[in-house]
Amino acid sequence: MKLPALALFERTLRLETRSALFCWSRVGMLGIILLFLVPIQTMARYGWYGAPGLRFLQEMVWANLIFITLVGMSYFASAITEEKEEMTLGLLRMTDLNPVAILLGKSTSRLVGALLLLLVQVPFILLAVALGGVGVLQIAAAYGTLLAYLFLLCNLALLFSVVFRNTATAGAITLLFIVLFFFGHHWAAGIERYIASSYNLDLSRGIWATLTSIIDLWQHATPTNRLGAIFQIGFNGPAIGFQVISNLVLGVLLFLLAWALFDWCTREEKDAAPARFLWRRRASRRSRIPAHLVGAGAITWKDFTFISGGSWGLVAKFAVVGLLVALCNAIALNNDTEITREFEGGILIWVSLVSTAFWLAFEASRIFKDEVRWKTLSSLVTLPISMRELAYRKVIGALKGTLPLLVAFVIGVTLVPDKIGEFLDELNRHPIGLGMLAVVILQYILFVHLTAFLSLILKRGALPLAIAIQYVGGSFFLGILAFLFRGDSDTIFFFTAFLCVAGTIVLHPAIGLRLARAAAEE
């Protein structure tokens, strides 16, 4: 007997698991396993390192953890928001489906599909036992950790998908909470220790003992802490630990909270519109479009205002940079690291570079997506500019909303000018460092182009897929090149740079051709 509440879940699950994309995802997952397995086995044969089975398991599990987190930003976070954006959530409610049926059908079916992608790896991961250095218990514990974290992340993204109106906001808030989940306990412990040392407090008594216990439980609930223990040689702990139980309990609570908030958050269906940056509200026409903007200049303003967030978006991004700097300082205090000018300068430089790289990649995944989705390209191509100029103006608008983050980089350089000089001298004395820096820059340029191109093809998940392709492809080619040229760094860097430049040259015009095709299809 079929339950009415599971009708949508059953239909969606069948569509998800029988789709061509899901089948190719399973094939791709097996291909990734082979790409990891072959270089490790080859290097172990030459005695480059021991315990190849443990190394194989580590690389696969960490790769899965990264991919699961990235998937949560788009695949899980769009469960309900895509219905809101398409204005079809009201139609689902007209079918007399209750909130549980909709949540199970739109979110849990995706969770089952993701679980299947993890479970399909297990028979092949068992090859790690034959390679040596790892046991079946470690494999079971590692994949149990991943499954529990996947359950937690799916329901966390589901909650924000119910609360917020668009996928971009739900994905960004999900990522923020995941970062706090992974690193917040370091921040909390550092603040607690700083307060205790400043006021000579005893952390083993009263409320401080309770707070210390909560922070300790928080740390043990993170997958990274659990995996660090699992990957130790001679691990004999239980396959199901505190992390698994806590993640499952939190996932259930988040699902119940999404259920409780569903009616209240979806009782009003507003007209569809392209997603704004986070909390940005829609204003009147007069306040939205400055009078002096006419012609093609409005394209740059539009992308800076609505994709990058405009002035308020810059404020939010600077707040994120400040939060990350504070988090790094808290972790340093927790590890008894002295906070010096050199330390602060280095933190500002790295946080600024990483934040800028992340926001550029995020905006690359949206810069053309909204135009294609809302079918506005056919209107834009009527302007007296070429498709190339149209694309470049949109890119300039995105850069205006991201490059100011490099202000923190400039401040960091002014704090440690001597270290920057030493770094440049080292690059001049060791060409291998200069080659590595060039390869990293070229790889990132290729990655941004790949993300923008995939956003024109896929409905969602362009950024996670680009990261997967770049990570897996880069690891594979670097392994092959290292094997062929026996560690000749100059030759490896040359061929890697050549592949990056060639890929960028191919993707650059391909984006323009895809844009022209999308405009013609409208």
Side-chain angles (χ1 to χ4, degrees):
M1 180 179 177
K2 295 183 179 180
L3 296 176
L6 299 180
L8 182 61
F9 169 78
E10 182 180 353
R11 179 183 180 278
T12 308
L13 182 60
R14 286 182 178 180
L15 292 176
E16 292 280 346
T17 54
R18 295 176 182 177
S19 64
L21 179 61
F22 187 79
C23 295
W24 282 111
S25 298
R26 286 181 286 185
V27 174
M29 186 61 66
L30 297 181
I32 291 173
I33 293 175
L34 292 178
L35 291 179
F36 278 109
L37 181 60
V38 172
I40 289 176
Q41 186 180 11
T42 303
M43 294 177 185
R45 183 180 302 172
Y46 286 94
W48 288 10
Y49 50 72
L54 180 59
R55 187 178 182 89
F56 173 54
L57 178 64
Q58 286 178 333
E59 292 191 2
M60 283 301 304
V61 169
W62 287 118
N64 277 306
L65 185 67
I66 294 172
F67 293 159
I68 288 171
T69 304
L70 294 173
V71 164
M73 295 168 51
S74 56
Y75 187 59
F76 295 140
S78 64
I80 305 299
T81 53
E82 68 177 8
E83 300 293 339
K84 296 178 181 179
E85 293 172 348
E86 298 289 344
M87 299 288 290
T88 56
L89 188 58
L91 297 176
L92 286 177
R93 299 306 302 269
M94 288 173 62
T95 60
D96 202 25
L97 288 173
N98 56 42
V100 175
I102 296 176
L103 293 176
L104 289 176
K106 298 298 299 180
S107 177
T108 310
S109 60
R110 300 185 182 192
L111 173 63
V112 173
L115 291 175
L116 292 176
L117 287 178
L118 276 180
L119 294 177
V120 76
Q121 305 174 28
V122 174
F124 302 91
I125 295 297
L126 290 175
L127 293 173
V129 179
L131 292 174
V134 68
V136 177
L137 178 62
Q138 287 174 285
I139 295 176
Y143 272 78
T145 299
L146 291 177
L147 293 174
Y149 171 63
L150 177 63
F151 181 78
L152 170 62
L153 179 60
C154 175
N155 288 286
L156 177 66
L158 173 64
L159 173 62
F160 295 130
S161 183
V162 169
V163 173
F164 296 103
R165 287 186 55 199
N166 57 72
T167 303
T169 305
I173 301 299
T174 300
L175 178 62
L176 176 62
F177 272 76
I178 287 299
V179 170
L180 291 176
F181 175 63
F182 276 101
F183 304 105
H185 58 88
H186 293 292
W187 192 9
I191 294 175
E192 184 188 38
R193 293 183 61 180
Y194 176 77
I195 294 175
S197 61
S198 300
Y199 297 96
N200 296 322
L201 301 175
D202 186 3
L203 296 180
S204 62
R205 300 178 60 184
I207 190 175
W208 297 106
T210 303
L211 292 176
T212 302
S213 300
I214 293 174
I215 294 173
D216 186 63
L217 292 176
W218 183 355
Q219 179 181 0
H220 284 84
T222 58
T224 50
N225 182 81
R226 173 65 172 168
L227 292 175
I230 292 172
F231 292 145
Q232 297 296 322
I233 300 295
F235 171 78
N236 59 355
I240 300 177
F242 174 77
Q243 179 269 336
V244 174
I245 297 174
S246 61
N247 284 193
L248 292 177
V249 171
L250 287 174
V252 171
L253 293 177
L254 290 171
F255 182 87
L256 295 176
L257 182 58
W259 179 13
L261 295 176
F262 186 85
D263 286 328
W264 185 76
C265 293
T266 61
R267 60 186 176 181
E268 294 183 2
E269 190 171 45
K270 299 181 180 180
D271 58 327
R276 305 302 192 244
F277 181 87
L278 295 181
W279 64 84
R280 187 176 182 87
R281 296 182 179 179
R282 299 168 64 192
S284 65
R285 182 178 180 84
R286 179 175 297 179
S287 62
R288 281 185 294 165
I289 304 176
H292 67 276
L293 283 177
V294 294
I299 298 175
T300 300
W301 172 85
K302 188 266 295 181
D303 281 70
F304 170 69
T305 304
F306 294 120
I307 293 183
S308 296
S311 301
W312 284 108
L314 281 177
V315 172
K317 293 171 185 177
F318 277 119
V320 172
V321 171
L323 179 64
L324 292 176
V325 172
L327 177 61
C328 292
N329 281 275
I331 294 175
L333 290 173
N334 188 41
N335 295 327
D336 297 326
T337 302
E338 184 180 0
I339 305 298
T340 61
R341 187 186 67 178
E342 289 77 12
F343 177 82
E344 289 294 342
I347 291 298
L348 283 171
I349 290 173
W350 283 109
V351 168
S352 175
L353 291 176
V354 172
S355 301
T356 303
F358 169 78
W359 283 111
L360 278 176
F362 179 70
E363 291 177 3
S365 67
R366 300 180 58 209
I367 190 169
F368 303 122
K369 179 181 177 181
D370 288 342
E371 306 292 350
V372 174
R373 180 175 184 179
W374 297 98
K375 301 186 183 301
T376 57
L377 276 176
S378 58
S379 300
L380 291 177
V381 296
T382 59
L383 295 173
I385 57 175
S386 63
M387 182 63 73
R388 177 179 298 179
E389 184 180 354
L390 170 64
Y392 288 159
R393 286 184 178 276
K394 290 177 67 64
V395 170
I396 292 173
L399 291 177
K400 286 177 62 178
T402 304
L403 293 184
L405 293 179
L406 293 178
V407 170
F409 174 82
V410 176
I411 296 175
V413 170
T414 58
L415 290 176
V416 287
D418 297 337
K419 296 293 182 181
I420 298 299
E422 294 175 2
F423 175 73
L424 295 177
D425 292 338
E426 287 292 329
L427 289 181
N428 291 328
R429 288 196 299 266
H430 300 89
I432 185 174
L434 185 60
M436 290 179 63
L437 179 62
V439 167
V440 169
I441 294 174
L442 291 174
Q443 281 188 334
Y444 183 75
I445 294 174
L446 173 63
F447 167 71
V448 172
H449 280 78
L450 179 62
T451 303
F453 179 74
L454 291 176
S455 68
L456 293 171
I457 300 175
L458 302 177
K459 183 178 179 181
R460 56 177 178 264
L463 181 59
L465 182 58
I467 294 175
I469 294 174
Q470 189 91 356
Y471 176 75
V472 175
S475 301
F476 175 73
F477 281 111
L478 285 177
I480 295 298
L481 292 176
F483 176 74
L484 292 176
F485 299 108
R486 303 292 182 178
D488 186 357
S489 58
D490 293 337
T491 307
I492 292 174
F493 288 148
F494 172 78
F495 275 98
T496 304
F498 173 77
L499 291 173
C500 293
V501 172
T504 304
I505 292 175
V506 171
L507 287 173
H508 194 82
I511 293 172
L513 293 175
R514 186 68 188 181
L515 277 173
R517 179 180 176 182
E521 290 176 350
E522 292 180 3

